[in-house]
């Protein structure tokens, strides 16, 4: 077999982390939304909010389980495939991961039991506290993991002795230059993913005529979230981009497909980056726009890839992933505004009144996943050839396994993940097909029997 | 005080404790998973309900154990995990299947419930066998020769038996009626393979590892070590007695079986710790050679001494909330 074990190890890590991130992206945002449903019910007494909670907590539990098991895989991957990383950067990466386990992983995993199954066993107040602790735990988890990831992008607060990294300042390590932007970008991405998921599933249920009042309450919640958070995400993304330009200019050059350093650089909308010829073919350009976006000046200087010699990331995947992320993001802004405008202007809660919107929303149920994966590919592939930017090369930390070994486990993981992903979407579909339980709150307008309603969901 | 000496020691202790708690807690989850095929459909639901609120936190202890290995002993972490590449990968796949089956078996529709029940059991079995394999390979110094492979295979069969005992003991605490009686039968059947396995492993350990034989049989250490096999033997005899005494079992003292198993596990870990110390990988690396920089250990130390008691505190709280016989799992 003439596969490069290094490339296979990278693909394996990418497969694991791509699969993993799908589920925390949902749970980090969804647990706050669930808390909101619980509080709305506690304060208003409106059963619809409680039914909304019961429906979405099931999806939360399922997503959480997938996130936990794939997260455990991640914690082993460092050792099994990238031992050099821990040997060289363990003094910094180790404690950050350790704090994640100690302050977040246990908190969420433990109180999850009470949140899911303890409603009858503890007071409403204790249950709310337990749910809040789960939400805090997931967010704290994101805090530590993103701190470590950001440190790998923009390392700070360390010194090197004989090839091994030591800590100079924990404050600088944790709050490294790109961390605030990445944390804000990811937390907001999580909420946005959830906004489109809850709208999408609710819309799908409305189209299937299994919706109840709770379904529409959830859909409006998602619409409002999207209308506010999607434009906010564009703003945070812009700040994040400026930060990347300052610390990782090669990544930005790859994102924009810019080869030569120039003032007043045009923005390439589309094109085909070619690493052999060091050019972007068939580029459609808008004059000066790249300089304007990146430096906020019409004639600002943007460094091109040719400045960085061989230490540049694979250009085409970064270039395309970036366009996918931005494209989905723009679509989210437009659909978020449309949904808010339509759902709050016409309060009729039936599929006929909103047929087109519901179709678009149900197609976009998992659009957050697409944008999140694309965004991570931009930042992670964009960091190559480094594992710790400018400090440690990815190729220097890989484990010495044969290509056959890594290929075998890779195929195992990919097969398992494909099966789980199909099962996950299938389970969501199955749960969403049952008639909404909140129908029982309506005066009998539809021809649905009571027994069917009580047997159903949400 | 010499921090460079004490901090690695503290973390080695914390790691041992985390892995011991993992074996006891996720051990009963995995054991019940392996017992699942032998129960009726209604009993399966009760068995899953008996572990439902706990398994997630239980599984986190292995993340902490491996996490400490990574934080405090990065050199050892690399050697252990690259040497155990295949069993680790298979174990993870087993844990993945077991973990997701909890939710899928009740959410993917009745048509698929049987499949997820089977995957639940399969995942539990694979994870348990691989963990046993890893322990065996680790104790023999990760050499991979024939004797150590045989030794690893032996533990790969013993550990699932121990987990099944833990599972049966947990069911004595959480169930009643016909399932309770089944748990007694399962315990009576599994206790002998488990005992035989433990005995074989104890006899084989000094045979495959001269370094360990030296530590066990040199005087005066040998006398100081005697309480370990003695209390293990007493706990084992007690375990057999408990599973055969109607008076104990039917008067609400079934939890004593779990206590006896805990004693056996505690003694096994003390014995293992003693056999390895001061090395973290036999014949290759001591605790101090493998340790991270002292300032990194100190930073984690402060977090650990605050967080660990809190974790233990809320773990106890959660077990109290869900005390008593298992009831059907409901989100409402």
């Amino acid at each position: 077999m003439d596969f490069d074990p290094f490339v296979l190890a990278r693909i394996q890590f990418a497969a694991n982390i791509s699969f993993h991130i799908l589920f925390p992206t949902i749970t980090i945002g969804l647990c706050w939304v669930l808390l909101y449903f619980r509080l709305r019910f506690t304060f208003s007494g409106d059963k619809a909010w409680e039914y909304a909670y019961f429906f979405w907590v099931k999806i939360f539990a399922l997503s959480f389980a997938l996130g936990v098991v794939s997260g455990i895989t991640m914690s082993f991957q460092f050792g099994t495939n990238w031992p050099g990383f821990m040997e060289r950067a363990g003094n910094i990466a180790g404690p950050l991961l350790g704090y994640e386990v100690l302050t977040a992983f246990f908190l969420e995993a433990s109180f999850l039991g009470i949140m899911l199954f303890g409603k009858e066993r503890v007071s409403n107040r204790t249950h709310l506290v337990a749910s809040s602790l789960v939400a805090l735990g997931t967010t704290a988890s994101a805090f530590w993991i993103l701190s470590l990831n950001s440190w790998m992008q923009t390392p700070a607060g360390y010194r090197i002795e004989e090839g091994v990294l030591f800590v100079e300042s924990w404050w600088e390590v944790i709050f490294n230059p790109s961390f605030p932007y990445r944390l804000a970008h990811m937390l907001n991405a999580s909420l946005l993913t959830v906004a489109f998921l809850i709208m999408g599933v609710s819309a799908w249920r409305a189209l299937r005529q299994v919706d109840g009042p709770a379904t529409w309450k959830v859909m409006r919640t998602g619409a409002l979230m999207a209308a506010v958070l999607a434009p906010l995400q564009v703003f945070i993304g812009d700040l994040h981009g400026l930060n990347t330009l300052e610390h990782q200019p090669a990544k930005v050059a790859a994102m924009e497909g810019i080869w030569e350093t120039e003032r007043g650089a045009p923005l390439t909308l589309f094109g085909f980056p070619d690493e052999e010829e060091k050019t972007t073919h068939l580029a459609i350009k808008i004059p000066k726009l790249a300089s304007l976006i990146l430096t906020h000046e019409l004639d600002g200087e943007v460094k091109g890839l040719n400045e960085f010699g061989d230490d540049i990331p694979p250009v085409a995947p970064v270039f395309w992933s970036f366009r996918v992320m931005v494209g989905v993001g723009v679509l989210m802004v437009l659909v978020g505004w449309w949904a808010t405008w339509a759902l709050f202007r016409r309060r009729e809660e039936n599929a006929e009144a909103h047929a087109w919107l519901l179709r678009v929303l149900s197609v976009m149920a998992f659009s957050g996943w697409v944008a999140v994966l694309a965004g991570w590919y931009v930042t992670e592939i964009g960091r190559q050839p480094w594992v710790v930017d400018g400090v440690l090369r990815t190729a220097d930390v890989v484990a010495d396994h044969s290509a056959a070994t890594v290929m075998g486990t890779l195929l195992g993981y990919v097969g398992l993940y494909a099966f789980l992903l199909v099962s996950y979407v299938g389970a969501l579909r199955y749960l969403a097909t049952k008639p909404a339980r909140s129908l029982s709150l309506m005066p009998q307008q539809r021809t649905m029997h009571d027994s069917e309603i009580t047997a159903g969901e949400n | 005080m010499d921090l460079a000496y004490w901090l690695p020691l503290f973390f080695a202790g914390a790691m041992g404790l985390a892995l011991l708690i993992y074996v006891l807690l996720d051990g009963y989850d995995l054991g019940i998973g392996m017992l699942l095929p032998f129960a009726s459909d209604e009993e399966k639901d009760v068995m899953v309900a008996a572990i439902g609120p706990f398994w997630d936190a239980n599984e986190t202890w292995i993340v902490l154990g491996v996490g400490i290995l990574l934080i405090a002993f990065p050199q050892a972490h690399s050697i252990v995990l690259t040497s155990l590449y295949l069993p680790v990968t298979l174990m993870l796949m087993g844990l993945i299947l077991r973990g997701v089956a909890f939710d899928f078996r009740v959410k993917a529709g009745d048509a698929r419930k049987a499949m997820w029940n089977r995957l639940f059991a399969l995942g539990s079995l694979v994870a348990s066998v691989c963990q046993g394999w890893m322990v065996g390979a680790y104790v023999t110094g990760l050499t991979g020769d024939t004797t150590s492979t045989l030794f690893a295979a032996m533990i790969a069969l013993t550990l699932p038996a121990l987990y099944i005992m833990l599972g049966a003991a947990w069911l004595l605490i959480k169930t009643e009626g016909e399932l309770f009686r089944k748990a007694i039968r399962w315990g009576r059947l599994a206790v002998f393979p488990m005992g035989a396995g433990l005995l074989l492993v104890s006899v084989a350990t000094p045979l495959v590892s001269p370094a360990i034989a030296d530590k066990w049989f040199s005087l005066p250490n040998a006398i100081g070590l005697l309480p370990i096999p003695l209390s293990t033997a007493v706990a084992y005899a007690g375990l057999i007695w408990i599973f055969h005494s109607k008076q104990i079992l039917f008067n609400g003292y079934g939890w004593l079986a779990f206590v006896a198993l805990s004693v056996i596990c505690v003694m096994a870990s003390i014995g293992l710790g003693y056999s390895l110390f001061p090395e973290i990988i036999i014949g290759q690396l001591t605790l101090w050679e493998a340790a991270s920089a002292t300032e990194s250990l100190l930073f984690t130390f402060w977090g650990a001494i605050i967080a660990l008691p809190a974790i233990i505190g809320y773990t106890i709280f959660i077990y109290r909330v869900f005390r008593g016989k298992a009831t059907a799992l409901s989100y409402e």
Side-chain angles (χ1 to χ4, degrees):
Chain A
M1 229 186 284
D2 47 2
F3 287 107
D4 182 356
F6 169 61
V7 174
L8 289 173
R10 280 192 56 202
I11 295 175
Q12 183 172 118
F13 196 83
N16 275 310
I17 204 153
S18 298
F19 181 73
H20 172 64
I21 194 63
L22 299 177
F23 303 102
T25 301
I26 288 178
T27 53
I28 291 167
L30 188 53
C31 57
W32 292 107
V33 173
L34 284 173
L35 198 59
Y36 170 76
F37 290 165
R38 286 276 289 118
L39 287 170
R40 281 300 294 261
F41 170 66
T42 303
F43 288 117
S44 73
D46 183 348
K47 276 292 226 185
W49 288 109
E50 187 167 46
Y51 290 149
Y53 174 83
F54 289 147
F55 178 78
W56 283 97
V57 79
K58 290 194 178 79
I59 292 172
F60 175 78
L62 179 61
S63 314
F64 199 95
L66 281 151
V68 168
V69 294
S70 56
I72 290 175
T73 311
M74 293 313 308
S75 70
F76 281 85
Q77 279 272 308
F78 296 117
T80 50
N81 291 52
W82 306 98
F85 177 63
M86 279 301 152
E87 285 165 16
R88 309 274 290 277
N91 287 328
I92 289 165
L96 296 183
L97 291 170
Y99 270 88
E100 195 253 347
V101 177
L102 288 170
T103 63
F105 212 145
F106 266 110
L107 199 66
E108 50 185 348
S110 301
F111 284 98
L112 185 74
I114 293 188
M115 177 182 169
L116 295 183
F117 306 121
K119 218 160 167 296
E120 278 295 296
R121 288 176 175 259
V122 296
S123 66
N124 190 44
R125 181 194 299 261
T126 309
H127 188 257
L128 275 171
V129 170
S131 305
S132 311
L133 287 172
V134 173
L136 278 176
T138 55
T139 307
S141 187
F143 175 93
W144 291 109
I145 294 301
L146 288 166
S147 174
L148 173 56
N149 179 272
S150 300
W151 180 83
M152 291 161 71
Q153 307 277 355
T154 53
Y158 65 97
R159 65 173 193 279
I160 303 179
E161 283 173 24
E162 292 168 11
V164 177
L165 280 77
F166 292 86
V167 174
E168 285 280 293
S169 155
W170 281 111
W171 183 266
E172 283 178 35
V173 166
I174 295 169
F175 296 97
N176 60 78
S178 64
F179 175 54
Y181 303 99
R182 188 168 282 102
L183 180 67
H185 203 41
M186 182 62 207
L187 291 182
N188 199 45
S190 178
L191 287 167
L192 203 49
T193 302
V194 168
F196 276 88
L197 179 70
I198 63 179
M199 277 196 288
V201 172
S202 303
W204 192 79
R205 305 185 78 193
L207 289 172
R208 287 263 169 149
Q209 312 272 331
V210 291
D211 54 313
T215 316
W216 291 87
K217 281 189 161 50
V218 171
M219 210 190 310
R220 279 195 293 271
T221 306
L224 262 187
M225 283 172 71
V228 176
L229 298 176
L232 180 66
Q233 188 71 328
V234 175
F235 176 69
I236 299 172
D238 179 51
L239 292 179
H240 194 4
L242 294 182
N243 177 268
T244 308
L245 183 68
E246 187 184 339
H247 295 278
Q248 297 174 290
K251 185 194 286 183
V252 173
M255 284 154 65
E256 303 291 358
I258 297 173
W259 295 89
E260 300 294 339
T261 302
E262 56 183 313
R263 296 194 159 275
L267 182 79
T268 305
L269 282 182
F270 286 102
F272 297 89
D274 183 338
E275 281 185 56
E276 302 275 302
E277 297 189 17
K278 297 195 182 300
T279 183
T280 301
H281 298 297
L282 301 172
I284 305 169
K285 295 178 178 177
I286 302 177
K288 297 198 188 284
L289 195 57
S291 281
L292 183 67
I293 291 173
L294 291 168
T295 64
H296 292 191
E297 278 172 41
L298 276 176
D299 275 322
E301 186 185 85
V302 181
K303 284 210 167 92
L305 287 160
N306 293 343
E307 294 257 336
F308 305 97
D310 288 335
D311 286 340
I312 59 166
V315 182
V318 176
F319 180 88
W320 283 110
S321 303
F322 183 62
R323 267 142 199 80
V324 170
M325 177 188 76
V326 171
V328 175
V330 169
L331 199 60
M332 283 175 147
V333 174
L334 297 176
V335 174
W337 284 343
W338 176 25
T340 305
W341 178 73
L343 292 174
F344 284 87
R345 193 180 58 115
R346 292 181 69 184
R347 286 260 179 172
E348 289 149 86
E349 297 184 344
N350 60 67
E352 296 82 50
H354 301 284
W356 272 103
L357 177 68
L358 297 182
R359 272 178 217 136
V360 171
L361 287 179
S362 50
V363 170
M364 284 187 72
F366 293 99
S367 55
W369 276 3
V370 177
V372 164
L373 282 182
W376 276 109
Y377 291 156
V378 170
T379 202
E380 293 294 284
I381 299 173
R383 191 190 58 225
Q384 303 303 326
W386 306 99
V387 63
V388 179
D389 196 70
V391 179
L392 211 54
R393 282 174 192 278
T394 315
D396 293 340
V397 301
V398 70
D400 183 24
H401 296 301
S402 72
T405 308
V406 187
M407 185 62 131
T409 51
L410 172 63
L411 290 177
Y413 278 123
V414 170
L416 182 59
Y417 290 160
F419 168 64
L420 292 181
L421 208 53
V422 170
S423 304
Y424 178 81
V425 176
L428 250 60
R429 214 183 140 92
Y430 174 78
L431 290 174
T433 314
K434 297 184 188 176
R437 208 158 95 192
S438 56
L439 278 172
S440 62
L441 301 173
M442 293 170 75
Q444 293 292 322
Q445 305 168 333
R446 300 192 189 177
T447 52
M448 192 168 281
H449 299 294
D450 280 351
S451 58
E452 263 181 75
I453 293 166
T454 42
E457 305 287 326
N458 167 277
Chain B
M1 200 162 73
D2 186 6
L3 288 176
Y5 178 80
W6 286 108
L7 282 173
L9 218 51
F10 166 81
F11 281 105
M15 180 170 74
L17 184 67
L19 291 174
L20 170 64
I21 296 177
Y22 174 77
V23 165
L24 286 175
L25 298 186
D26 209 27
Y28 76 71
D29 298 336
L30 291 167
I32 289 175
M34 287 183 276
L35 288 169
L36 218 52
F38 306 103
S40 72
D41 282 348
E42 296 81 48
E43 288 166 350
K44 284 186 174 83
D45 289 342
V46 181
M47 288 164 78
V48 172
I51 51 182
F54 312 110
W55 76 275
D56 201 338
N58 292 347
E59 199 178 78
T60 308
W61 289 98
I62 199 176
V63 180
L64 182 65
V66 173
I68 295 176
L69 182 64
L70 178 154
I71 298 160
F73 310 105
Q75 308 285 339
H77 177 257
S78 300
I79 298 174
V80 171
L81 290 189
T82 43
S83 316
L84 298 176
Y85 188 73
L86 284 179
V88 166
T89 306
L90 283 173
M91 175 197 76
L92 291 170
M93 290 177 177
L95 288 179
I96 289 174
L97 282 179
R98 187 277 303 250
V100 301
F102 267 98
D103 281 277
F104 278 128
R105 65 186 288 284
V106 285
K107 289 177 189 161
D110 291 340
R112 297 197 177 80
K113 191 168 177 179
M115 175 188 84
W116 285 110
N117 279 336
R118 278 195 290 276
L119 288 174
F120 195 124
L122 178 72
S124 303
L125 177 68
V126 169
S128 310
V129 169
C130 290
Q131 285 173 6
W133 185 276
M134 286 153 66
V135 172
Y138 174 69
V139 170
T140 48
L142 304 168
T143 47
D145 55 27
T146 320
T147 0
S148 55
T149 307
L150 278 174
F151 184 72
M154 205 155 78
I155 300 192
L157 295 177
T158 306
L159 197 66
L162 172 69
Y163 284 174
I164 285 175
M165 284 306 298
L166 283 164
W170 187 250
L171 290 177
L172 294 185
I173 301 174
K174 301 303 279 185
T175 64
E176 45 206 346
E178 181 54 29
L179 184 54
F180 182 85
R181 275 185 281 277
K182 270 194 181 171
I184 297 173
R185 280 206 298 281
W186 291 332
R188 285 178 186 170
L189 283 173
V191 75
F192 293 106
M194 180 197 87
L198 285 180
L199 192 66
L200 267 174
V201 170
S202 311
V203 172
T205 305
L207 291 177
V208 296
S209 170
I212 292 179
D214 214 38
K215 283 180 187 153
W216 283 15
F217 300 120
S218 62
L219 288 170
N221 298 10
I223 297 166
L225 286 176
L226 268 181
I228 296 178
L230 286 182
S231 49
T232 307
V234 170
Y236 183 70
L239 190 63
I240 297 175
W241 180 53
I242 291 163
F243 267 97
H244 285 87
S245 161
K246 288 203 166 60
Q247 253 172 339
I248 294 177
L249 291 170
F250 290 95
N251 284 312
Y253 293 102
W255 53 270
L256 282 170
F258 205 87
V259 174
L261 283 160
S262 304
V263 171
I264 293 173
C265 292
V266 170
M267 288 303 144
S269 7
I270 294 176
L272 183 62
Y274 174 81
S275 309
L276 294 169
F277 187 83
E279 286 169 307
I280 191 155
I281 298 174
I282 288 188
Q284 290 189 44
L285 214 54
T286 69
L287 288 180
W288 296 279
E289 286 165 353
S292 301
T294 305
E295 65 256 42
S296 292
L297 290 181
L298 193 61
F299 180 68
T300 316
F301 173 78
W302 294 121
I305 57 166
I306 296 167
L308 275 178
I311 291 168
I312 291 170
Y314 61 66
T315 303
I316 292 170
F317 168 72
I318 286 155
Y319 272 83
R320 281 181 55 85
V321 167
F322 291 101
R323 68 185 177 274
K325 301 295 179 188
T327 47
L329 289 180
S330 159
Y331 292 137
E332 297 175 20

